[in-house]
Amino acid sequence: MKALLVCEYREGTLLDSTYELLAFADRLGAEKAMLLIGSDSALPACSATVYLADAAKHGEYNPDVHKKLVLDAAQRENADCVVFVHSSYGWDLAPRVAAALRAGQVSEIVGIADGGYEVGCCNAKMRRTVAPRSGKAVLTIQAGAFGFTGTPQGTPKVERIDVADGATSVEFVGYEPADKKDVDLTRAEVIVSAGRGVGKKDNIPTIAALAKALGGELGASRPVVDAGWVEHSHQVGTTGQSVSPKLYVACGISGAIQHLAGMKKSDFVVAINKDKDAPIGEMADVLVVADVMQFVPALTAKLT
């Protein structure tokens, strides 16, 4: 199987998600080639062919032109699948490429199993395994689902590509910064997150007290934010912030796929849950099977 991996390049920088694409291809056992619409100064470290198009000429994003470049690279490689990260770039470009190739598309893949791709269903509470019926496929992978370990190495073989007709009705004007968050969890070394298992809003200060005792920040799962117990700026997950602290403490969090994707890069995970079979336990380095509201105050008392 041959996979064409489409890198993302923003404001002159190659995004780290490039290496998640490589990790996915390795899990797939695929022969790899990459497409970068960027610059010579931001080439990925890999031992693969990298098709390079000039972002200064084609824009960091232009759906009409970028689609042509992807199709050109896919044709040169005779790729069996074209793979994007499930980001705003991938959301927009992948369906265009799939339609042009008349190929099946599988979106937001979180795993590989039984000869197919695992994706979330039932509001990410369950997983199902799917496989495209078409000979070729366009895939997007969930950010954080396929973590790259180690240090990227290798020197790419660069082949430059261009489009003969770059005419387009779209103009890229730049990026609009997101609203400033009350707290930037992406910089926190310790995060203690509250889930629905804490019971009620009045119990949130107990979780916040543990975060303070550990010198960290308060995080939260989506149900807690949706219930209005914690501000959205504290939400961890695909619809919140993706974090990579040294220590992540999950309090009463069952482990929905969308939440796990946001904290998979944590160095060490402690999960506190009364359900020993909660999905969060599969990711946790330490699983404490206990009532959150009994265990957390006792732990905080020992730390203060």
Side-chain angles (χ1 to χ4, degrees):
M1 174 183 283
K2 287 188 175 182
L4 176 68
L5 313 177
V6 183
C7 307
E8 292 192 33
Y9 175 90
R10 183 175 301 169
E11 297 180 305
T13 301
L14 178 72
L15 300 191
D16 289 341
S17 59
T18 294
Y19 298 105
E20 296 179 26
L21 292 168
L22 287 169
F24 172 75
D26 286 341
R27 286 277 302 277
L28 201 58
E31 183 181 339
K32 302 180 287 288
M34 309 189 84
L35 169 65
L36 170 62
I37 304 168
S39 69
D40 293 279
S41 62
L43 293 172
C46 65
S47 299
T49 298
V50 174
Y51 293 96
L52 177 63
D54 187 3
K57 176 180 179 180
H58 301 303
E60 292 191 6
Y61 188 53
N62 184 310
D64 296 334
V65 176
H66 284 212
K67 181 185 77 172
K68 292 176 182 177
L69 290 166
V70 173
L71 293 174
D72 184 9
Q75 182 178 27
R76 294 188 189 203
E77 281 295 310
N78 191 23
D80 297 293
C81 60
V82 180
V83 190
F84 299 85
V85 175
H86 195 72
S87 61
S88 55
Y89 184 91
W91 297 335
D92 192 53
L93 194 53
R96 300 170 190 265
V97 173
L101 291 175
R102 300 182 65 83
Q105 179 177 334
V106 182
S107 298
E108 202 169 4
I109 296 168
V110 297
I112 301 170
D114 301 324
Y117 305 107
E118 290 186 349
V119 297
C121 61
C122 300
N123 198 25
K125 296 185 185 300
M126 300 178 68
R127 294 186 183 187
R128 59 178 178 159
T129 302
V130 300
R133 292 182 177 178
S134 56
K136 297 184 182 297
V138 175
L139 314 173
T140 69
I141 62 170
Q142 187 182 80
F146 298 91
F148 184 89
T149 57
T151 303
Q153 294 181 343
T155 302
K157 175 187 175 183
V158 177
E159 291 194 20
R160 298 183 185 275
I161 61 173
D162 206 338
V163 290
D165 179 14
T168 176
S169 59
V170 177
E171 179 187 359
F172 177 73
V173 296
Y175 301 98
E176 183 176 332
D179 294 337
K180 188 175 181 180
K181 300 178 177 66
D182 295 335
V183 57
D184 185 0
L185 296 180
T186 63
R187 297 180 179 275
E189 294 192 349
V190 176
I191 298 173
V192 180
S193 284
R196 187 160 37 196
V198 305
K200 56 184 178 179
K201 184 176 182 178
D202 291 346
N203 290 336
I204 295 297
T206 301
I207 309 302
L210 176 59
K212 183 177 180 180
L214 290 170
E217 298 284 356
L218 174 67
S221 66
R222 180 174 176 174
V224 168
V225 172
D226 288 348
W229 298 356
V230 175
E231 293 294 324
H232 181 266
S233 58
H234 292 267
Q235 183 176 325
V236 174
T238 54
T239 54
Q241 298 186 56
S242 293
V243 300
S244 53
K246 293 181 178 178
L247 172 63
Y248 189 86
V249 184
C251 302
I253 294 174
S254 61
I257 294 171
Q258 291 167 324
H259 185 82
L260 297 182
M263 44 73 69
K264 275 189 173 183
K265 295 181 181 179
S266 304
D267 289 345
F268 196 87
V269 177
V270 176
I272 307 166
N273 202 297
K274 62 182 179 181
D275 180 5
K276 64 181 179 61
D277 296 318
I280 190 76
E282 297 181 9
M283 180 174 289
D285 296 284
V286 174
L287 173 62
V288 180
V289 182
D291 185 307
V292 170
M293 297 315 299
Q294 292 180 359
F295 183 82
V296 169
L299 177 60
T300 304
K302 289 288 186 180
L303 293 170
T304 54

